[in-house]
Amino acid sequence: MAKKIYISPSNQEANLYATGGTNEKEQCHKIARACYNYLKTKGFNVKCTYNDNMYERVSESNAFGADIHLAIHTNATVNHNVTGGTQILLYSLTGERKKVGEAVLNRLAPITPGKSAEKLIEKPSFYEVNSATGITVYCECEFHDTKEGSDFIIKNTKIIGEAIAKGICDYYGISVEDNTKTDENKKTLYTVQVGAFSNKNNAEKYVEQLKKAGFDAIIVSK
């Protein structure tokens, strides 16, 4: 049976970005859609909410029977004095919680520009962290109150969403290799018909003329 992932993007539209005239809610919804789309292609049973009520979200996640409750946020500090980085908030830093948190952090942290704050954080006081029956992975993708972090998030919502999804895939041992790549050495050949003859002798003569001119030519009867 497919694992169930419930995606809960930030509803915090009052959290303004340092650049772009945007906010946390708007960008996290974009990240969530990219994450949803990627997980669906990997066979997960995914539900994504845009309900602004956090308590209803958790109830919906629990009714869904989510294996992982994935909260997607971007970060900020009171004094706006951090250089940035990815943080994953968990109920505890033990067992499967730690494993899935590390899997997501290992995919997301390397692509984000900030480095000082990268870590797993124990945060049992957060409602979504302590009340969802599935393992809550609360992603603070990058700090949006720095110019560098804000610009990065706005330009890379798809990449961020897919990185989170790949972390989930890693945790469950699902390959993220792209099997759609074409073989660059494989050539596509196109056949061009340049003549049709009712007399086979005439057809053979024309083929010989083409071959002498350096073309590949064969007779195909219909």
Side-chain angles (χ1 to χ4, degrees), residues 6-110:
Y6 185 92
I7 303 177
S8 173
S10 173
N11 63 354
Q12 296 162 296
E13 60 187 350
N15 290 350
L16 302 180
Y17 273 41
T19 60
T22 186
N23 60 69
E24 182 175 346
K25 177 181 177 179
E26 182 178 355
Q27 298 307 314
C28 287
H29 281 206
K30 294 178 182 179
I31 293 169
R33 282 193 289 272
C35 185
Y36 174 92
N37 291 337
Y38 191 93
L39 288 172
K40 290 289 285 186
T41 67
K42 293 299 179 179
F44 288 94
N45 185 354
V46 193
K47 187 176 183 66
C48 185
T49 184
Y50 299 104
N51 180 347
D52 282 346
N53 188 306
M54 177 178 63
Y55 301 98
E56 291 179 4
R57 289 180 181 212
V58 171
S59 295
E60 188 175 63
S61 175
N62 293 345
F64 178 53
D67 296 289
I68 290 178
H69 180 94
L70 183 60
I72 295 177
H73 290 255
T74 55
N75 214 341
T77 58
V78 175
N79 298 318
H80 306 292
N81 59 353
V82 223
T83 58
T86 299
Q87 296 179 344
I88 305 296
L89 281 51
L90 304 166
Y91 184 81
S92 68
L93 307 185
T94 59
E96 296 305 310
R97 290 185 175 92
K98 183 178 181 182
K99 288 179 183 178
V100 66
E102 286 179 335
V104 174
L105 185 68
N106 289 341
R107 283 285 181 178
L108 188 53

Side-chain angles (χ1 to χ4, degrees), residues 139-204:
C139 299
E140 294 280 14
C141 300
E142 176 56 271
F143 283 75
H144 61 247
D145 57 345
T146 68
K147 181 182 185 304
E148 183 181 37
S150 177
D151 287 344
F152 170 78
I153 296 164
I154 293 167
K155 294 174 182 176
N156 295 282
T157 53
K158 183 174 186 290
I159 291 172
I160 294 168
E162 290 184 352
I164 295 170
K166 287 176 181 178
I168 299 296
C169 290
D170 290 343
Y171 172 68
Y172 284 114
I174 295 172
S175 173
V176 297
E177 294 299 320
D178 183 2
N179 296 322
T180 63
K181 291 179 180 178
T182 57
D183 182 356
E184 294 180 358
N185 295 320
K186 188 183 291 184
K187 295 180 179 179
T188 301
L189 300 179
Y190 301 92
T191 301
V192 179
Q193 181 176 315
V194 295
F197 302 88
S198 59
N199 185 302
K200 186 178 180 181
N201 289 334
N202 291 337
E204 289 173 344

Side-chain angles (χ1 to χ4, degrees), residues 113-134:
K115 301 301 174 188
S116 67
E118 285 181 2
K119 56 185 171 180
L120 301 180
I121 297 176
E122 194 171 275
K123 203 74 174 180
S125 61
F126 276 22
Y127 183 77
E128 282 192 273
V129 175
N130 66 42
S131 298
T133 54

